[in-house]
């Protein structure tokens, strides 16, 4: 199963982060609109990513919900009919919730750098260090920590869990 080392953090200045990521990647990044539907499952997380263009991906992943760099194991299956797959999975498993976001993707070495604007939550960044078979988790964490430094991502801005978790926490807080 493929794996990566991930971190997620809040972003105070989208323009400043984008400027630094553009300089490091030597690109303006690629804008991707995404609708992620999370389904109930007994272990890990299962989501359907709809790219809003007739294509999508069914993604299963398992990772700890902690701050800082962490190992994530995942499997991805492409789909050319995300709407129909969403209906089947919704009926079979039930929907936990949905995350709508606009993502700007930068590629820096072996790392996917995401600058995300998440509906209802705000602006975030994610680093996904795509692990090579010969790399240790510690080496992947070192790559992530170095990029955090180069992008001026502070430890205080780190976030644990998925966007879905943050949206559910926000909804629960509003109900109280």
């Amino acid at each position: 199963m493929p794996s990566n080392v991930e971190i997620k953090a809040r972003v105070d200045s989208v323009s400043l982060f984008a400027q630094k990521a553009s300089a490091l990647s030597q690109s303006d990044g690629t804008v991707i609109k995404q609708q992620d539907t999370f389904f109930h499952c007994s272990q890990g997380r299962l989501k359907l990513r709809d790219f809003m263009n007739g294509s999508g991906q069914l993604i299963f992943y398992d990772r700890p919900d902690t701050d800082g760099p962490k190992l994530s194991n995942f499997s991805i299956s492409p789909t050319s009919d995300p709407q129909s797959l969403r209906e089947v999975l919704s009926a079979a498993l039930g929907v936990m919730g949905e995350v709508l976001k606009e993502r700007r993707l930068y590629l820096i070495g072996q790392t996917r750098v995401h600058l995300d604007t998440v509906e209802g939550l705000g602006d975030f960044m994610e680093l996904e260090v795509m692990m090579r078979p010969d790399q240790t988790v510690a080496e992947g964490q070192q790559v992530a920590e170095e990029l955090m430094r180069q992008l001026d991502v502070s430890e205080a801005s780190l976030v644990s869990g998925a966007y879905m978790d943050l949206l559910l926490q926000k909804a629960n807080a509003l109900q109280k």
Side-chain angles (χ1 to χ4, degrees):
M1 183 178 282
S3 64
N4 61 31
V5 170
E6 295 184 15
I7 67 151
K8 182 184 316 235
R10 292 193 179 278
V11 171
D12 291 326
S13 172
V14 170
S15 59
L16 186 58
F17 185 88
Q19 183 180 32
K20 289 176 184 180
S22 290
L24 289 171
S25 69
Q26 299 179 348
S27 78
D28 291 331
T30 303
V31 175
I32 308 165
K33 293 187 186 287
Q34 299 176 346
Q35 177 182 356
D36 290 346
T37 303
F38 284 77
F39 301 96
H40 296 286
C41 70
S42 60
Q43 68 178 38
R45 298 175 193 269
L46 182 67
K47 68 182 173 185
L48 176 63
R49 175 160 290 157
D50 187 339
F51 292 112
M52 322 277 267
N53 64 4
S55 70
Q57 299 171 325
L58 184 62
I59 304 168
F60 170 78
Y61 66 98
D62 196 13
R63 70 163 186 245
D65 289 331
T66 57
D67 292 346
K70 56 198 154 275
L71 184 67
S72 176
N73 295 301
F74 61 92
S75 296
I76 298 175
S77 179
T79 180
S80 59
D81 191 357
Q83 298 289 353
S84 178
L85 187 54
R86 180 181 295 107
E87 290 174 21
V88 171
L89 290 169
S90 296
L93 301 173
V95 173
M96 182 185 302
E98 292 188 340
V99 176
L100 295 168
K101 66 181 173 256
E102 182 173 286
R103 169 169 281 177
R104 184 170 293 271
L105 168 66
Y106 303 91
L107 300 175
I108 302 173
Q110 72 188 86
T111 306
R112 296 170 56 90
V113 177
H114 305 146
L115 177 56
D116 294 336
T117 299
V118 182
E119 189 174 294
L121 289 179
D123 301 311
F124 296 82
M125 61 75 60
E126 286 184 345
L127 301 179
E128 293 179 348
V129 180
M130 304 306 294
M131 299 296 291
R132 294 188 302 261
D134 62 331
Q135 274 185 308
T136 65
V137 174
E139 289 170 330
Q141 289 172 330
Q142 190 174 23
V143 170
E145 289 166 358
E146 175 60 20
L147 262 177
M148 282 175 61
R149 188 188 63 71
Q150 291 175 333
L151 293 165
D152 288 327
V153 176
S154 71
E155 298 258 339
S157 66
L158 294 177
V159 175
S160 62
Y163 295 136
M164 187 74 256
D165 298 328
L166 297 175
L167 286 168
L168 291 172
Q169 289 170 4
K170 184 177 177 182
N172 287 338
L174 291 174
Q175 289 177 355
K176 293 180 180 180

